[in-house]
C-alpha cells in the first residue's frame, strides 16, 4: 500500500500542464470577451441620433443664401427609416461638410409647414437637393443606400444632374396638416364651444 500511496501523492506532469493550458485558454477567452464587450458598447454609444444631426445642421435660411448646394432632409424622431439612415447621413455630412449644407427639418414642428407643402412631403425621410442658388434640383424619398446618396451629392457639388433623382425607397408615412389644428378645450375659441 505504501507504493500506491506514493504514486497517488506524486504530482503528475500531464495534470499540471493540462491545468496551465486550461487556465491560459480561459484567460484568452476572457480577454476576447472583454474586448468584444468594450467595442460593442463603444459602437452603441457613438451611434448617431437624429437630434444630434439636427443640432449640427445648417439653418435653412443660411443654406439657401450662402452659395453652397444643400441637401434638406425632412424627418421625425419617431421615423424608423430616418433613424436607420442617421449614421449614413452623419458620415456623408462629415465627408461633404465643406462642399454641401446639410439641413434637417423636423416635420413635427409646424414652423416647417410651408416647406412641407412646397416640397409635397408625404413620406419621410424626404430629401430635397438644392443648387447653389437655392433652386430645387431633385428630390428623393425614403431609405436611400449610402452609395446612392454619395453619388447624388457628388453630382450636386459638380453642378451636374443627379444620377438618382426622383428615387424612392422605404418610407414612414406622414401627412402634413393643411391648417393648424383647433383645440376644443381652448377657452379663447368661444364659438367652438357652442353646440347647436
Amino acid at each position: 500500500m505504501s507504493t500506491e500511496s506514493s504514486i497517488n501523492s506524486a504530482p503528475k506532469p500531464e495534470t499540471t500542464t493540462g491545468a496551465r493550458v486550461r487556465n491560459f485558454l480561459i484567460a484568452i477567452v476572457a480577454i476576447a470577451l472583454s474586448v468584444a464587450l468594450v467595442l460593442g458598447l463603444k459602437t452603441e454609444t457613438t451611434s448617431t441620433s437624429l437630434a444630434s444631426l439636427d443640432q449640427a445642421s445648417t439653418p435653412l435660411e443660411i443654406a439657401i443664401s450662402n452659395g453652397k448646394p444643400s441637401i434638406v432632409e425632412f424627418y421625425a424622431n419617431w421615423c424608423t427609416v430616418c433613424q436607420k439612415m442617421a449614421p449614413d447621413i452623419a458620415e456623408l455630412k462629415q465627408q461633404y461638410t465643406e462642399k454641401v449644407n446639410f439641413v434637417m427639418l423636423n416635420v413635427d414642428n409646424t414652423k416647417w409647414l410651408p416647406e412641407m407643402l412646397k416640397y409635397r412631403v408625404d413620406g419621410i425621410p424626404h430629401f430635397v437637393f438644392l443648387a447653389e442658388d437655392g433652386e430645387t434640383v431633385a428630390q428623393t424619398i425614403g431609405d436611400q443606400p449610402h452609395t446612392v446618396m454619395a453619388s447624388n451629392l457628388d453630382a450636386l457639388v459638380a453642378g451636374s444632374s443627379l444620377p438618382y433623382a426622383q428615387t424612392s425607397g422605404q418610407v414612414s408615412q406622414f401627412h402634413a396638416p393643411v391648417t393648424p389644428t383647433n383645440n376644443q378645450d381652448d377657452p379663447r375659441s368661444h364659438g367652438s364651444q357652442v353646440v347647436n
Side-chain angles (χ1 to χ4, degrees):
M1 270 197 155
S2 65
T3 312
E4 267 183 49
S5 301
S6 64
I7 293 175
N8 287 337
S9 65
K12 295 180 183 177
E14 293 176 356
T15 305
T16 306
T17 305
R20 285 183 180 172
V21 168
R22 183 187 74 228
N23 290 343
F24 178 73
L25 289 175
I26 290 172
I28 294 297
V29 168
I31 290 170
L33 288 174
S34 298
V35 168
L37 180 63
V38 167
L39 290 177
L41 289 175
K42 182 178 178 185
T43 304
E44 188 67 31
T45 57
T46 59
S47 78
T48 304
S49 72
L50 292 167
S52 65
L53 283 172
D54 186 20
Q55 289 175 350
S57 76
T58 305
L60 181 62
E61 302 78 30
I62 293 173
I64 57 176
S65 64
N66 70 0
K68 288 181 3 184
S70 303
I71 179 172
V72 178
E73 178 181 357
F74 289 92
Y75 78 99
N77 291 324
W78 49 263
C79 169
T80 55
V81 179
C82 303
Q83 293 167 3
K84 177 186 171 214
M85 287 192 67
D88 281 346
I89 297 299
E91 186 178 316
L92 290 166
K93 182 180 186 321
Q94 204 170 39
Q95 183 179 352
Y96 291 91
T97 193
E98 297 298 321
K99 302 173 188 172
V100 177
N101 297 308
F102 282 77
V103 180
M104 302 287 290
L105 303 180
N106 190 331
V107 296
D108 290 332
N109 185 345
T110 56
K111 171 184 178 181
W112 305 119
L113 182 58
E115 286 77 11
M116 288 184 265
L117 295 173
K118 176 181 179 180
Y119 297 114
R120 298 180 181 176
V121 176
D122 60 359
I124 52 175
H126 185 113
F127 300 96
V128 180
F129 297 87
L130 303 175
E132 295 170 351
D133 59 2
E135 291 299 314
T136 305
V137 174
Q139 297 184 46
T140 60
I141 302 169
D143 188 8
Q144 303 293 315
H146 186 276
T147 54
V148 167
M149 293 296 283
S151 296
N152 279 344
L153 289 172
D154 286 336
L156 186 66
V157 169
S160 58
S161 61
L162 275 59
Y164 300 101
Q166 308 300 333
T167 60
S168 59
Q170 181 183 359
V171 299
S172 293
Q173 291 300 317
F174 170 77
H175 298 288
V178 177
T179 59
T181 57
N182 289 332
N183 185 354
Q184 296 291 335
D185 299 330
D186 187 354
R188 294 171 289 182
S189 60
H190 304 288
S192 66
Q193 296 174 352
V194 176
V195 177
N196 292 333

